[in-house]
Amino acid sequence: MNSKQHMSGVVAGRLDASDIEDNFQDLHPPLSTHEAVVAADRCYFCHDAPCVTACPTSIDIPMFIRQISTGNPLGSAETIFDQNILGGMCARVCPTETLCEQVCVREVAEGKPVKIGLLQRYATDHAMDSGIEIYKRAAPSGKKVAVVGAGPAGLACAHRLAMYGHDVEILEAREKPGGLNEFGIAAYKTVDGFAQREVDFVLSIGGINISYGQKLGEDVSLEQLQSDYDAVFLGTGLAGVNALRMEGSDADGVVDAVDFIAGLRQSADKSDIAVGRRIVVIGGGMTAIDAAVQAKLLGAEDVTICYRRGKDQMNASVFEQDLATSRGVIIRHWLQPDKVNVADGKLRSVTLEYTSQDAGKLTGTGETMTIEADQVLVAIGQTLESSGLGSPIKLEGGCIATDATGRTSADKVWAGGDCTNTGDDLTVTAVAQGRDAAEAINDTLKQ
Amino acid sequence: MADITNTFAGIKSPNPFWLASAPPTDKAYNVERAFRAGWGGVVWKTLGEEGPPLVNVNGPRYGAIWGADRRLLGLNNIELITDRDLYVNLREIKQVKKDWPDRAMVVSIMVPCEEAAWKAILPLVEETGADGIELNFGCPHGMSERGMGSAVGQVPEYIEMVTRWCKANTRMPVIVKLTPNITDIRFPARAAHAGGADAVSLINTVSSITSVNLDNFSPEPSIDGKGSHGGYCGPAVKPIALNMVAEIARDAETRGLPISGIGGITTWRDAAEFLALGAGNVQVCTAAMTYGFKIVSEMIEGLQNWMDAKGHASLDDVIGRAVPNVTDWQYLNLNYVTKAKIDQDMCISCGRCHIACEDTSHQAITQEVDGVRRFEVIDEECVGCNLCVNVCPVENCITMEPLATGETDKRTGEKVSGDYGNWTEHPNNPSRVAAE
């Protein structure tokens, strides 16, 4: 046993490095060719297939699966990429159990859907590993478009614009591209540097330049972009986080789950990442799950997710909830944090209040309970940092308001992904919105 | 328990399942394993005339096509008749027959189309104590180039001639194995019958190329970059074989001639279908070559269980039972009207019935009803073709429901008469015969 395994406080290396490496292996290992063909054969090639309707990017799923079964994985990948240039990442991170696979007729009939996500990964991996150039730029249009944010929405928008021959300048606040694909997803969902390889794949079309360390409102203004470019696309994501505001919430050991996840993804050696022995995770979404599971995989002894509403209201899918519990995470419902208890300068526990819901309104019952903890991971939502946008951009519900094509209230400015009021936290939706905004921008620039 | 002991052309075996003349019956080792597994008989792999044994290719002998999960659907071979010494084969045949007296031992023979060649080999085979011979007029590859196999089977006059020679020169029952590589199976069958054959067996393999290698453009199986047509067998050929068996069974000239059914028999159910269409027993090869000899126990028990369930006491209750129901198209009842019906509780909404009907047939299945995805048959358009049933992935979800007498066919507006009426008397038939 590792000597640090039962040490109190927030410490690194609770497990041996080799155990940690094993724990962070690929969650869903890829299909072999034979496995893929067998899995593909289960597809009925439905007419007007429900899976296509359920896919935010409307990939022609029966067609790409048929192409796999006929030994044409490259053609299959083209079918996918035509709709979703980040089809490789979506194959890994999409909650398929609530999208395509949920409505697969074989799920309806037998409770066993066609393995659409894994098949998509098979095809896209094949194409990306082959190094074959799939897309070519059209002749240069002479138009320039600024894309703010190198996350899924921005990359999808940039690629589609490049296809049409427009010059694209991506302005990225961080020092690395990929957005949440690079910083915000559990490491076991995208191993071996896939997010960066995918960015390279997207950029290989040419005509796209990325400038790093360019934060909107600080390093560059929207007005400047509007005057320097023919169009602007905002794919900034949600850079702010909701903070826990209560007694003790400023204690050492209260950590934002988004930062915790990003730290894990960016570390070269995960045994350097410190975690508590007993951890309480506050929240009920994918971020809460990703943080909790990874904390457990790093060697935390007890990890408890506390969510203020019930199981059915959790944003995390049932699959993700089951994944967490299978890794030893405890999920507790109807509990909201009341205070973080500190003694001798050390985080000791979290006191939570039971909740109930009456006519849709959530209220505390007054009764409390306390969970021992030396670390608290906070995953209670992210927010738009709107200060850099300027007044011409109309907001709705704290996010950028757009029409169906992604056009904002500001002249020549489109937006897509989590920063908009139509985003839904999914990579695949961000890709669809980035792509569709690029189509709308292209239509406008052609006029 | 149903009695499945079998007497075919005077040859007795404990069950109707024989192994066909092929690699599984090439030597004592395999045949003894087969008998231990329960096979009722074998047709020993074809013997050729005395002399230096022939040679096979040293590259691949088989090609294949597969269904889902690499399930073998069709096998093709370019193997020739036995490449072992004639006398080794004869010694082994004699020994095995002695050790397994209750099993059928039939020996397949293929020698040149000269009476002397047949006269020479027949006494040698007879001496083994074998129960009968099968004349290999079927192999479509290799031997046919040398004037044997299907080169004989494709010429009815040769079939009759050689059959006659054999009948004249042996006491053993003569089974004539027919090639399907002809236009009308009745002619070779009639020729065998005319020559005095005790039975026919069919089908031998179908001339075929299984696939083409798209890297080097060689047909498969590829021998140093070249391929030659082989003989196709396995589940894929069963429908072809069933039809040919039925054609012989119901032909006025050959009616009553024992038929050994061969072609893609893989399960007891396949065997029962051959028996029902007039086969007196069946021969199996590809299924054994795919799964091993053990499958015969499934065939035996499955056949018995079905017979028990249906009250068939012996094979005679089954053999030929479907033959009277095989007829010519012109005698099918045109007043029998069916409509497809989709069980909405079973429907999984894949939409395949709709798109098949919409794109390729009669536009008789909805895609939406009241704005909701729903697949329903439009009786006004449905011709009862059964395509939707065949493309539906859910068994029994779509059924063909006959209209009762007096019901109106919404497509034609005519009432179902309930009377039998066929094309020969149909008013649209220019050469109709007046109904009595």
Side-chain angles (χ1 to χ4, degrees):
Chain A
M1 196 201 307
N2 188 298
S3 60
K4 295 178 181 170
Q5 195 166 348
H6 295 155
M7 200 179 276
S8 295
V10 181
V11 298
R14 286 186 178 276
L15 301 178
D16 293 343
S18 61
D19 290 336
I20 291 179
E21 196 182 321
D22 285 348
N23 285 349
F24 280 86
Q25 294 295 312
D26 211 334
L27 181 61
H28 302 289
L31 298 176
S32 69
T33 295
H34 178 70
E35 287 171 323
V37 170
V38 172
D41 199 79
R42 292 190 69 241
C43 174
Y44 286 146
F45 201 71
C46 294
H47 172 67
D48 190 19
C51 53
V52 181
T53 311
C55 174
T57 53
S58 307
I59 293 170
D60 189 343
I61 293 165
M63 183 57 78
F64 93 67
I65 292 178
R66 186 173 173 82
Q67 288 166 309
I68 290 172
S69 66
T70 63
N72 179 15
L74 187 66
S76 174
E78 286 182 38
T79 301
I80 296 161
F81 290 140
D82 281 350
Q83 291 296 110
N84 181 340
I85 195 64
L86 300 189
M89 183 60 81
C90 290
R92 289 163 167 77
V93 304
C94 262
T96 51
E97 64 280 358
T98 60
L99 296 170
C100 51
E101 291 181 18
Q102 184 180 47
V103 298
C104 173
V105 299
R106 300 204 75 158
E107 166 67 21
V108 176
E110 307 158 40
K112 266 178 77 178
V114 175
K115 293 174 178 167
I116 299 170
L118 280 169
L119 286 166
Q120 179 165 320
R121 174 163 174 190
Y122 172 80
T124 52
D125 278 1
H126 176 92
M128 288 174 64
D129 292 346
S130 77
I132 292 170
E133 187 181 83
I134 296 177
Y135 294 100
K136 276 198 166 59
R137 284 188 79 192
S141 66
K143 305 282 187 186
K144 293 189 302 179
V145 183
V147 169
V148 183
L155 289 169
C157 182
H159 186 268
R160 187 56 62 106
L161 290 168
M163 279 173 65
Y164 288 123
H166 308 308
D167 283 327
V168 182
E169 180 72 19
I170 301 183
L171 303 142
E172 168 57 47
R174 301 202 200 222
E175 296 302 327
K176 214 173 174 184
L180 285 183
N181 287 355
E182 174 58 34
F183 296 95
I185 287 164
Y188 49 78
K189 290 180 183 167
T190 165
V191 299
D192 301 332
F194 180 78
Q196 291 307 305
R197 279 198 286 134
E198 186 171 54
V199 172
D200 293 342
F201 166 72
V202 172
L203 299 184
S204 67
I205 190 172
I208 304 171
N209 183 56
I210 307 187
S211 302
Y212 297 104
Q214 298 293 309
K215 191 165 186 196
L216 193 66
E218 290 178 15
D219 304 296
V220 60
S221 72
L222 185 58
E223 292 76 17
Q224 191 65 48
L225 295 177
Q226 283 171 291
S227 72
D228 290 354
Y229 292 88
D230 297 296
V232 180
F233 174 79
L234 300 174
T236 60
L238 302 174
V241 288
N242 288 322
L244 203 59
R245 288 193 182 81
M246 61 190 56
E247 183 186 332
S249 62
D250 56 351
D252 279 352
V254 177
V255 177
D256 192 83
V258 171
D259 293 339
F260 176 73
I261 292 167
L264 259 166
R265 282 293 299 280
Q266 299 307 309
S267 79
D269 181 357
K270 293 184 179 59
S271 51
D272 292 343
I273 302 286
V275 282
R277 181 181 183 186
R278 305 184 203 285
I279 298 176
V280 170
V281 181
I282 310 290
M286 300 290 267
T287 303
I289 299 275
D290 280 2
V293 171
Q294 294 192 104
K296 191 75 191 166
L297 299 180
L298 286 172
E301 191 172 330
D302 296 324
V303 178
T304 309
I305 292 176
C306 296
Y307 177 54
R308 62 194 173 134
R309 295 178 195 269
K311 180 178 172 69
D312 295 343
Q313 288 109 318
M314 286 183 81
N315 270 338
S317 68
V318 172
F319 173 85
E320 291 287 338
Q321 295 177 41
D322 289 347
L323 174 72
T325 53
S326 78
R327 298 298 189 269
V329 172
I330 293 168
I331 302 179
R332 303 203 53 166
H333 304 108
W334 305 110
L335 281 174
Q336 64 185 8
D338 183 47
K339 62 181 176 184
V340 177
N341 304 303
V342 179
D344 307 328
K346 287 192 173 141
L347 202 163
R348 301 290 182 181
S349 62
V350 182
T351 298
L352 301 112
E353 182 185 20
Y354 290 94
T355 58
S356 67
Q357 191 168 326
D358 295 310
K361 191 171 153 43
L362 192 75
T363 52
T365 64
E367 188 188 351
T368 62
M369 55 90 78
T370 297
I371 300 177
E372 206 182 319
D374 38 32
Q375 190 176 28
V376 177
L377 298 175
V378 182
I380 53 175
Q382 286 135 266
T383 56
L384 178 70
E385 280 190 351
S386 57
S387 57
L389 292 174
S391 54
I393 297 281
K394 212 175 101 189
L395 302 184
E396 217 173 271
C399 293
I400 299 171
T402 67
D403 69 9
T405 70
R407 192 185 269 271
T408 71
S409 56
D411 185 37
K412 300 200 295 190
V413 181
W414 281 258
D418 288 354
C419 66
T420 67
N421 61 336
T422 50
D424 62 4
D425 257 5
L426 295 178
T427 299
V428 64
T429 303
V431 171
Q433 292 177 345
R435 175 200 70 194
D436 293 346
E439 292 288 347
I441 291 169
N442 180 58
D443 288 345
T444 306
L445 296 185
K446 272 193 315 194
Q447 284 166 8
Chain B
M1 184 70 81
D3 175 14
I4 61 165
T5 56
N6 183 240
T7 304
F8 180 79
I11 303 165
K12 291 188 186 320
S13 57
N15 62 58
F17 301 105
W18 292 5
L19 284 169
S21 166
T25 62
D26 191 28
K27 55 184 186 293
Y29 181 85
N30 304 79
V31 171
E32 284 176 347
R33 284 180 67 86
F35 285 163
R36 276 198 293 277
W39 290 88
V42 298
V43 181
W44 199 279
K45 185 170 164 82
T46 308
L47 307 183
E49 65 181 337
E50 192 177 349
L54 55 76
V55 294
N56 268 299
V57 294
N58 295 298
R61 300 177 189 185
Y62 304 112
I65 64 159
W66 296 273
D69 206 0
R70 251 180 107 80
R71 180 178 288 264
L72 190 76
L73 297 181
L75 190 69
N76 150 303
N77 84 86
I78 56 168
E79 182 171 300
L80 303 180
I81 62 174
T82 186
D83 54 12
R84 302 191 324 144
D85 180 76
L86 174 63
Y87 289 97
V88 171
N89 275 310
L90 292 169
R91 266 199 308 277
E92 290 186 3
I93 291 167
K94 186 172 185 176
Q95 186 63 44
V96 174
K97 179 62 199 177
K98 187 161 161 266
D99 294 343
W100 298 85
D102 70 322
R103 308 302 168 94
M105 173 65 77
V106 173
V107 178
S108 174
I109 306 174
M110 179 197 289
V111 293
C113 222
E114 299 152 10
E115 190 170 12
W118 291 92
K119 267 185 162 168
I121 197 165
L122 289 172
L124 302 178
V125 174
E126 203 164 288
E127 199 275 330
T128 64
D131 298 301
I133 55 171
E134 185 180 77
L135 313 187
N136 182 340
F137 295 160
C139 275
H141 51 270
M143 303 312 289
S144 57
E145 297 169 15
R146 306 174 199 179
M148 293 180 267
S150 66
V152 176
Q154 287 166 337
V155 184
E157 292 79 1
Y158 292 174
I159 294 173
E160 184 177 341
M161 175 178 73
V162 178
T163 306
R164 209 179 286 286
W165 291 340
C166 291
K167 283 302 291 179
N169 289 290
T170 180
R171 59 155 178 84
M172 295 180 287
V174 175
I175 303 167
V176 176
K177 187 164 182 178
L178 302 179
T179 175
N181 301 307
I182 41 79
T183 46
D184 188 337
I185 196 67
R186 292 174 300 179
F187 290 90
R190 287 169 187 164
H193 189 50
D198 296 280
V200 290
S201 56
L202 72 161
I203 59 174
N204 204 308
T205 56
V206 182
S207 287
S208 59
I209 291 173
T210 44
S211 60
V212 175
N213 182 318
L214 294 179
D215 293 321
N216 66 6
F217 293 102
S218 171
E220 300 283 2
S222 172
I223 308 294
D224 195 20
K226 307 275 186 207
S228 181
H229 71 84
Y232 195 45
C233 55
V237 307
K238 179 187 142 193
I240 299 167
L242 281 177
N243 174 54
M244 290 187 166
V245 166
E247 286 297 289
I248 295 170
R250 73 189 187 98
D251 182 51
E253 282 191 42
T254 53
R255 188 165 296 151
L257 178 67
I259 303 168
S260 186
I262 312 169
I265 296 163
T266 309
T267 67
W268 70 266
R269 188 178 287 275
D270 299 328
E273 290 173 19
F274 272 88
L275 296 175
L277 279 176
N281 75 356
V282 295
Q283 297 183 31
V284 176
C285 173
T286 310
M289 291 184 73
T290 309
Y291 303 109
F293 290 144
K294 191 174 137 185
I295 54 165
V296 74
S297 58
E298 175 275 320
M299 293 177 166
I300 290 168
E301 286 164 17
L303 184 64
Q304 284 178 321
N305 286 344
W306 167 73
M307 289 171 66
D308 288 345
K310 298 290 181 182
H312 304 307
S314 73
L315 293 177
D316 288 340
D317 292 349
V318 175
I319 292 168
R321 283 287 288 274
V323 175
N325 295 329
V326 183
T327 185
D328 293 342
W329 191 98
Q330 62 183 332
Y331 300 120
L332 296 175
N333 184 5
L334 296 175
N335 294 333
Y336 175 74
V337 181
T338 62
K339 298 285 174 189
K341 189 159 182 290
I342 300 173
D343 182 332
Q344 295 297 331
D345 291 335
M346 292 178 79
C347 176
I348 59 172
S349 291
C350 69
R352 279 168 50 163
C353 57
H354 163 79
I355 200 62
C357 193
E358 190 71 16
D359 278 354
T360 70
S361 293
H362 302 91
Q363 298 75 49
I365 297 179
T366 64
Q367 174 172 10
E368 263 184 22
V369 177
D370 299 331
V372 178
R373 182 177 176 86
R374 187 176 168 91
F375 303 95
E376 286 181 2
V377 175
I378 304 162
D379 284 349
E380 288 76 3
E381 305 296 337
C382 178
V383 304
C385 76
N386 206 37
L387 178 64
C388 54
V389 172
N390 293 328
V391 302
C392 176
V394 181
E395 198 175 356
N396 297 326
C397 173
I398 311 181
T399 47
M400 298 307 299
E401 302 289 335
L403 296 189
T405 301
E407 271 192 87
T408 300
D409 178 350
K410 289 183 186 163
R411 184 174 68 87
T412 58
E414 287 172 19
K415 274 201 166 61
V416 174
S417 71
D419 299 332
Y420 167 80
N422 67 42
W423 175 245
T424 61
E425 58 212 33
H426 195 277
N428 290 15
N429 180 355
S431 49
R432 70 180 175 276
V433 291
E436 304 260 324

